[in-house]
Amino acid sequence: MKHFYSLTVFCIFFTISGVSQTETYFTSGGEMIFSFANIDDNGSSESSIMRWAPCFNVQSMVNADLNKHFGLFSGLAVRNVGYIYGKYKVYNFDRSMQADGNYTTYKKKFRSYNLAIPLGIKFGNLEKMFFYAGYEVELPFLYKEKTFENGDKINKITGWFSNRMNMFQHGFLVGIQFPYGMNLKFKYYLSNFHNQDYTDNNGFKPYENLTANIFYFSLSSYLFKNLDYSPGKPQDKKL
């Protein structure tokens, strides 16, 4: 996958360098995330609770518009991603350390801060409204997990580069850039949020049979909007 990504980036920027009319410029914007998850818990399909993350989501893009209707983009982002699960089960064990079939249900909030690199295309009227699609890889660097019982927080776990979750997160994204700067995006993670092989200090694997594929909708402003553009005006942010 790494070799494929590197080859793709090389081919795109090689193409860009050979197109004399390409306009290149930087853009940036925040992101307000509304996330959910497709959950498989011990073979049972479960639902998540919507998680709202309005803070600490920043993105910076480098845009390469080959013409007025087609362009490419890549960049760098820091993103607050996670989900809320209201039926997390902790099973009881007998003296032989075998699950006896009984369990206690807790509410869990999982999240991580990720460093992300997107790669995608834009198509439509790039000066007004257009669509975009792409692929994004993310490196989680700050993990947090909270446990609630009857509405009260009873435990919190945090850690840098925690092996409680998969350290390679990736997925596809699609979106639409509206005139005047507003942006709507949808992203689906192909990777499981949790590291199912993680073993805690007691020898248990808390995520062994838990699969969670996060997906979210997000709102942002001026993500792809070139604020220095106007007809006939030189591009101050050309690369």
Side-chain angles (χ1 to χ4, degrees):
M1 181 66 70
K2 292 181 179 178
H3 294 297
F4 172 78
Y5 184 78
S6 299
L7 179 61
T8 303
V9 172
F10 173 79
C11 292
I12 287 176
F13 283 97
F14 179 80
T15 301
I16 291 173
S17 65
V19 181
S20 60
Q21 298 303 314
T22 298
E23 295 289 344
T24 54
Y25 52 93
F26 287 110
T27 56
S28 61
E31 189 174 20
M32 184 180 296
I33 296 175
F34 303 87
S35 62
F36 305 85
N38 287 328
I39 301 171
D40 186 313
D41 190 354
N42 285 276
S44 176
S45 179
E46 302 288 350
S47 60
S48 64
I49 302 169
M50 187 187 78
R51 179 178 183 270
W52 179 44
C55 299
F56 304 110
N57 302 300
V58 293
Q59 307 171 92
S60 182
M61 299 293 179
V62 55
N63 300 263
D65 296 349
L66 277 67
N67 54 52
K68 294 182 179 180
H69 301 286
F70 184 80
L72 307 169
F73 68 88
S74 186
L76 196 64
V78 175
R79 184 168 295 122
N80 178 354
V81 181
Y83 76 101
I84 302 174
Y85 183 26
K87 298 180 180 179
Y88 182 88
K89 302 177 184 66
V90 176
Y91 288 86
N92 300 328
F93 291 83
D94 58 26
R95 293 182 178 179
S96 62
M97 299 306 293
Q98 297 295 317
D100 61 12
N102 298 314
Y103 58 83
T104 303
T105 301
Y106 298 95
K107 179 181 178 181
K108 287 273 194 176
K109 294 183 178 181
F110 303 98
R111 75 104 172 106
S112 67
Y113 276 102
N114 298 353
L115 182 66
I117 301 176
L119 180 65
I121 61 173
K122 306 182 293 181
F123 51 95
N125 186 337
L126 301 187
E127 296 177 6
K128 293 183 179 180
M129 186 174 76
F130 60 86
F131 298 92
Y132 62 93
Y135 172 77
E136 193 164 32
V137 295
E138 298 187 4
L139 172 66
F141 62 87
L142 180 57
Y143 175 84
K144 180 181 287 186
E145 176 183 325
K146 295 180 181 179
T147 305
F148 297 83
E149 184 178 21
N150 298 322
D152 297 323
K153 184 173 67 175
I154 61 173
N155 190 38
K156 182 175 73 171
I157 299 170
T158 60
W160 293 93
F161 300 99
S162 173
N163 58 358
R164 288 177 175 267
M165 64 180 298
N166 286 320
M167 294 305 292
F168 176 70
Q169 299 285 319
H170 66 112
F172 291 105
L173 59 94
V174 294
I176 180 171
Q177 175 73 54
F178 295 100
Y180 309 111
M182 292 304 298
N183 186 287
L184 174 64
K185 183 177 75 177
F186 171 79
K187 182 173 181 182
Y188 183 84
Y189 286 82
L190 301 172
S191 47
N192 183 10
F193 182 86
H194 304 285
N195 175 13
Q196 294 181 325
D197 293 327
Y198 171 79
T199 304
D200 64 19
N201 293 331
N202 297 315
F204 296 117
K205 294 183 177 182
Y207 320 114
E208 183 175 17
N209 297 304
L210 180 61
T211 300
N213 296 96
I214 293 177
F215 62 94
Y216 69 75
F217 299 89
S218 70
L219 297 173
S220 60
S221 58
Y222 301 109
L223 179 58
F224 293 109
K225 186 70 173 179
N226 185 3
L227 299 178
D228 284 349
Y229 175 80
S230 63
K233 178 182 176 180
Q235 295 293 309
D236 295 333
K237 290 190 176 183
K238 276 188 177 181
L239 300 179

